């Protein structure tokens, strides 16, 4: 998960080639690739150059562990595994959007398809959720652009909301959007308290907020 969030935006393959230190380029050995355990054993530094390991790496690994454990705890078996896949995809998208304002189709579109195939509830509810999720944010984006003369929401946000609708159904979409909006206000307030200038043009990673709001609702519905 951490490798995906760090390497993919930089144009580096996440599937091919050996993992290496970002500082000195040394190829990492097997014992240096154990999630969380290697970071703790190395005390957050490369064994060769002593350069600091990006803290987002262990945080992403910890997040993935928590997502999987929570999904399987509330729904053991295939349903829990499906929920874990949903949560891991949301975590990846949350990290990418928070760091790069990027919600790649290579994750959101398969996530939507997976929701139709594996999500809870009946297929009609999920299909309506898919369409309502995409249409609602697309209309909001068009209205904002017309009123303000600039883009306010990216197309990736609407696709992610559609995928969430495919997993949760249309009835939970207003709750997801409300929780994400409240989280966005809290995010902006926290930034303001840290001394960061906040204006109407300040960008917030809506995809991250939607992802963080959606997975707890899946847990409640499971």
């Amino acid at each position: 998960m951490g490798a995906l969030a760090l390497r993919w935006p930089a144009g580096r393959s996440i599937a091919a080639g050996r993992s290496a230190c970002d500082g000195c380029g040394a190829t990492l050995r097997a014992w240096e690739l154990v999630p969380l355990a290697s970071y703790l054993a190395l005390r957050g530094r490369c064994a060769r150059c002593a350069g600091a390991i990006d803290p987002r790496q262990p945080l992403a690994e910890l997040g993935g562990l928590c997502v999987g454990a929570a999904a399987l705890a509330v729904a053991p078996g295939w349903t829990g595994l499906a929920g874990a896949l949903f949560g891991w995809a949301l975590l990846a998208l949350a990290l990418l959007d928070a760091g790069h304002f990027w919600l790649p189709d290579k994750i959101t579109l398969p996530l939507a398809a997976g929701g139709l195939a594996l999500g809870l509830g009946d297929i009609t509810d999920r299909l309506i959720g898919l369409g309502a999720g995409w249409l609602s944010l697309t209309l909001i984006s068009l209205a904002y652009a017309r009123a303000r003369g600039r883009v306010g929401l990216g197309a990736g946000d609407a696709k992610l909301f559609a995928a969430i609708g495919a997993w949760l159904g249309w009835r939970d979409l207003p709750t997801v959007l409300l929780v994400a909006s409240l989280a966005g206000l809290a995010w902006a307030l926290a930034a303001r308290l840290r001394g960061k200038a906040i204006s109407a043009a300040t960008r917030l990673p809506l995809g991250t907020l939607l992802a963080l709001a959606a997975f707890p609702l899946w847990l409640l519905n499971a």
Side-chain angles (χ1 to χ4, degrees):
M1 192 68 65
L4 181 149
L6 296 174
R7 295 170 66 178
W8 194 6
R12 298 158 56 194
S13 173
I14 59 175
R18 297 284 301 278
S19 296
C21 171
D22 292 328
C24 65
T27 299
L28 300 181
R29 293 161 289 192
W31 69 270
E32 296 172 299
L33 295 172
V34 181
L36 290 177
S38 294
Y39 182 84
L40 294 174
L42 292 167
R43 298 182 180 180
R45 295 194 172 275
C46 174
R48 262 83 82 196
C49 71
I53 298 172
D54 194 316
R56 289 176 294 178
Q57 182 82 32
L59 288 175
E61 293 167 352
L62 179 60
L65 176 62
C66 291
V67 164
L72 291 172
V74 301
W78 290 109
T79 298
L81 180 58
L85 293 173
F86 177 51
W88 287 330
L90 289 178
L91 177 59
L93 291 166
L95 292 171
L96 291 169
D97 200 40
H100 306 279
F101 293 100
W102 183 38
L103 297 168
D105 286 352
K106 289 184 178 180
I107 299 179
T108 54
L109 298 185
L111 182 63
L116 296 179
L118 304 172
L120 297 178
D122 63 72
I123 188 64
T124 301
D125 187 53
R126 297 199 297 272
L127 283 170
I128 294 173
L130 178 76
W134 179 82
L135 185 61
S136 59
L137 285 198
T138 297
L139 291 177
I140 291 173
S141 177
L142 292 173
Y144 183 93
R146 184 178 181 85
R148 295 296 185 92
R150 62 173 184 266
V151 176
L153 295 176
D157 295 313
K159 293 174 185 176
L160 172 57
F161 204 39
I164 290 171
W167 278 88
L168 301 182
W170 64 270
R171 294 176 181 83
D172 279 327
L173 289 179
T175 302
V176 171
L177 192 57
L178 175 61
V179 172
S181 299
L182 293 175
L185 290 175
W187 187 313
L189 178 60
R192 185 68 177 269
L193 292 175
R194 293 196 305 267
K196 184 177 180 180
I198 300 294
S199 69
T202 300
R203 297 179 70 188
L204 291 178
L206 178 59
T208 299
L209 302 173
L210 292 172
L212 294 177
F215 186 64
L217 274 179
W218 183 91
L219 294 174
L220 290 174
N221 292 335

